[in-house]
Amino acid sequence: MINTDLWLTEYLNNSMGHTFKIKKKLFHQVSEFQTVDIVDTDYYGHMLLLDGMVMTTEKDEFIYHELITHIPLLVHPIPKKVLIIGDGDGGVAREILKYPYVEEITVCEIDKIVVDACKKYLPVTAIGFDNPRVNLQVNDGTTYISQFKNHFDIIIIASADPVGPGEGLFKAEFYKNVYDALTDNGIMVNQSASPWSMQTQFKNINKSLIKIFPIVKPYISVVPTYPGSFWSWTFCSKNIEPLDAINISLSEKISESCKFYNSEIHKAIFVLPNFIKDLLAA
Amino acid sequence: MINTDLWLTEYLNNSMGHTFKIKKKLFHQVSEFQTVDIVDTDYYGHMLLLDGMVMTTEKDEFIYHELITHIPLLVHPIPKKVLIIGDGDGGVAREILKYPYVEEITVCEIDKIVVDACKKYLPVTAIGFDNPRVNLQVNDGTTYISQFKNHFDIIIIASADPVGPGEGLFKAEFYKNVYDALTDNGIMVNQSASPWSMQTQFKNINKSLIKIFPIVKPYISVVPTYPGSFWSWTFCSKNIEPLDAINISLSEKISESCKFYNSEIHKAIFVLPNFIKDLLAA
């Protein structure tokens, strides 16, 4: 009997990969920028891929979205204006909408086709796009950011990997523009690659950031569908420390709506194992 | 041109898996208990598989071995006798040898073929087997443990998954015998499955343990080559809390020889995300 199961494999470094059983292909389009696919997987539900790389899935999206959002939102004293670069699936915007005092959430996503596909096939993630506080800008983040000075309280860079259309979001010039676009209490968080399987990228991102921001603190967890095992985000700010300033009572309230984040996790994810400390010190 | 690369895939739940590029098959034998393979992989170096399941690799073994060992060893006031059940690769014994006051390290491994294969192909892990403080007992852990009452200060269960020859190491009767074999200050740690992709096993292990031990605290990290993403170990004791009693000065000294463990990690790995807390409370 022939096995007709479909499997999708994302390879890393041409030497390992993650493989997922597919129930159905839901969406496929080659946009101006990349190949956009959404498939229905057996274990992870609907999965978004850009140029064949897994971006998010229904089952594990909460980890990435909660961790990139609630760390900066819960240490800034009172953010009013937040910019998200990337986030075509809308998951970061959805998490920010939990804060009633945030007045303006701008999502700057380069590829409208990603947004439309996510609205249709990842509706739980993309729900925020329908909210009047969310302002979608279909634009290149590197161009968009350069218009602003001293404007945003928080900027979140929810980029894809440093290849393809997201490459410019890992460059020193871009980080400098992000710094300038932030207010005096400003905070930036970006996804900063895998400190396990993408160590050179992780190191280079941190090296670039410490030249620009006075406070740079990477934090780690795991996104099960990313091939890198350990994953990192980096907290950068002009003067706020990510652990000194946690709004504990609000953090506890936000945690009630979270599947991953809680006040203790907020601190624990900043603790780095020796191999990552050594990597950063090298 | 035909691609002649060899790849090895470990599947989980018949719906996802990890795949690794193989440079060379090094060892293959069907023992009395299981199929034992060692292959040389492109990214992870030499890799041990039992019945096709990844047990350890040269590149990431330090995470599992440091975390299962140093948590109990650094909170027990002065362990003299330690029993390890499983650990055919010797990695736990190697870590325990860092403590000069431990007089007797008994490794109870059911399958001599695993030990011999690891001595040859995973020599950095298996180095402890040559030390006179290490006493290898080729025996079934469930039988071996039942001979002892009030004898061991620490028992570490470095078992494979709860299928195959290791199945008995997850049963209530075995845990009861472990409890009885421990001294009054005794501590047991076991690997307790993935709280992400093996949630039923993880829950059942914890349910069984809390019926027997007064103190039961799971902790989590990641073993990159295990298909479960998040992985767990569970700390159980008769009266010692895993965080109250850390020997900080010794912990700092031990950390110098570690690639993962440090005193802050010791605390951070006990912090659980909401979905795991909910799983345990259910």
Side-chain angles (χ1 to χ4, degrees), chain A residues 122-180:
Chain A
L122 293 165
V124 172
T125 311
I127 191 168
F129 286 122
D130 297 327
N131 191 295
R133 282 197 283 155
V134 177
N135 160 29
L136 174 65
Q137 293 287 330
V138 178
N139 207 332
D140 182 332
T142 59
T143 316
Y144 188 74
I145 194 81
S146 61
Q147 311 167 46
F148 296 95
K149 301 283 170 233
N150 192 30
H151 185 83
F152 296 106
D153 300 304
I154 295 175
I155 297 175
I156 294 175
I157 323 284
S159 61
D161 290 337
V163 288
E167 208 179 331
L169 303 178
F170 292 89
K171 292 191 171 154
E173 191 194 339
F174 170 68
Y175 294 144
K176 182 71 180 61
N177 287 337
V178 167
Y179 183 94
D180 292 340

Side-chain angles (χ1 to χ4, degrees), chain A residues 11 13-19 21 42-44 196-197 222 224 229 255 258-262 272-275, chain B residues 7 13-19 21 42-44 196-197 222 224 229 255 258-262 272-275:
Chain A
Y11 293 98
N13 304 326
N14 194 31
S15 66
M16 57 176 168
H18 277 191
T19 188
K21 190 163 149 187
D42 205 43
Y43 193 80
Y44 283 100
W196 177 258
S197 58
V222 184
S229 176
S255 166
C258 289
K259 286 190 263 183
F260 200 93
Y261 179 88
N262 59 54
L272 303 178
N274 293 354
F275 78 91
Chain B
W7 288 78
N13 304 326
N14 194 31
S15 65
M16 57 176 168
H18 277 191
T19 189
K21 189 161 147 188
D42 205 43
Y43 192 80
Y44 282 100
W196 177 258
S197 58
V222 184
S229 175
S255 165
C258 289
K259 285 189 265 184
F260 200 92
Y261 179 88
N262 59 54
L272 304 178
N274 293 356
F275 78 91

